[in-house]
Amino acid sequence: LRDGLEQLVELADCVPKAFRDVAAPVLSGCLDVAANPGFGGGARSLAVELACSLCERAPATARRCAAGDLKWPAKAVDACFDMLAEDEPRDDPAAWEHAPGPPPELDAAAGRELGAEFLDRLARSLRPKAVLPRALGNAARALAAAAADLNQWRGARAACFALTQVAESVNDLESLKKTDDVPLLCGAAEPRKKLGGKRRRRDWVDALLPFATQYPVACVRCAALDALAQSCEDLGPLLQLETHAVVVPALCGGIRGDG
């Protein structure tokens, strides 16, 4: 399998047009391998690389491909979320919180690392219209489920990981003529209404801030803080100017609470 994937990656890099008539089954096969922890990390990594190479070199073809009853980009986003939610042997929230030092970095072929890379490259290559509706919808549902049930903390952490990867694409939504199918994280968008960047940025902060400062599971707070920090870099300085009056007091309160 690895040898075959390596050859396909080289072919996709050199002659992406060779996949024009078989893009749908090849891309669907990539998801079958990449999202399955039963395959070795090397095979999964190569499957991600093949899918990303095709998306980067033939984005229009990838956007048109179907995967069952969904467009392939939506199916790929779902696979990324599944990978980001994968457990690692050390995924014990209590042990994570009280560890004497930071946890060791994940192997590059670990599911969460592959899922993050995959989602980042999808968002960059296929553009926000193809990726953000599914990504933000998945994240909103995961955050809502985790807020209602602490047993769903893995979904919240995966959502924070995902939002870290797609934050820079939020500003790109302003260039689109219609964005009512791109959901808000804290509620559905109003039909037929184009939501401006300021509304999107505030929604982003409103969704992440409670998880960054109040959520009982420390590793989720950490992931939400990372997502907020990345958002400040990708969406700044507007995000800071528009939301600092809310964010700074909440973060200070969180620091006092930890103390």
Side-chain angles (χ1 to χ4, degrees):
L1 178 61
R2 288 185 60 176
D3 290 343
L5 287 170
E6 286 175 354
Q7 296 297 319
L8 289 173
V9 168
E10 290 185 12
L11 184 60
D13 285 338
C14 298
V15 195
K17 290 183 179 179
F19 292 85
R20 181 177 297 166
D21 295 331
V22 294
V26 169
L27 287 170
S28 294
C30 289
L31 296 187
D32 291 339
V33 176
N36 188 341
F39 287 100
R44 299 179 77 189
S45 181
L46 286 167
V48 168
E49 183 60 37
L50 175 57
C52 290
S53 294
L54 289 173
C55 289
E56 290 161 356
R57 287 160 178 76
T61 298
R63 283 193 291 265
R64 287 194 300 266
C65 285
D69 57 348
L70 294 174
K71 288 288 188 180
W72 183 84
K75 194 77 170 180
V77 170
D78 290 350
C80 291
F81 270 76
D82 290 341
M83 296 161 75
L84 289 168
E86 285 182 18
D87 275 336
E88 292 293 323
R90 58 180 179 273
D91 275 352
D92 177 352
W96 187 96
E97 184 173 6
H98 299 292
E105 292 187 4
L106 293 176
D107 184 271
R112 293 211 298 265
E113 290 292 296
L114 288 175
E117 177 191 357
F118 197 0
L119 186 57
D120 177 59
R121 292 174 69 180
L122 283 177
R124 291 171 184 269
S125 59
L126 300 185
R127 309 308 297 159
K129 190 66 173 176
V131 174
L132 281 187
R134 192 72 173 188
L136 297 189
N138 286 355
R141 287 187 291 273
L143 293 176
D149 181 0
L150 289 181
N151 291 322
Q152 301 298 318
W153 65 267
R154 290 177 181 82
R157 186 178 61 175
C160 293
F161 289 154
L163 294 176
T164 300
Q165 302 305 317
V166 302
E168 66 178 329
S169 298
V170 172
N171 282 341
D172 293 340
L173 290 173
E174 294 191 66
S175 65
L176 302 178
K177 294 181 179 179
K178 181 183 177 185
T179 61
D180 56 276
D181 62 337
V182 184
L184 293 167
L185 291 170
C186 293
E190 297 178 32
R192 297 179 299 281
K193 181 177 180 180
K194 181 176 172 64
L195 296 170
K198 184 175 182 179
R199 179 71 178 90
R200 293 277 181 191
R201 290 186 289 271
R202 181 56 190 262
D203 171 65
W204 201 269
V205 169
D206 288 345
L208 286 171
L209 198 57
F211 286 90
T213 59
Q214 303 169 18
Y215 200 70
V217 182
C219 59
V220 175
R221 295 200 303 273
C222 181
L225 285 167
D226 284 344
L228 275 176
Q230 187 62 47
S231 302
C232 288
E233 181 174 337
D234 291 336
L235 305 179
L238 292 176
L239 185 140
Q240 291 93 321
L241 292 170
E242 294 162 357
T243 65
H244 69 277
V246 174
V247 173
V248 173
L251 294 179
C252 292
I255 293 171
R256 285 195 297 271
D258 282 347

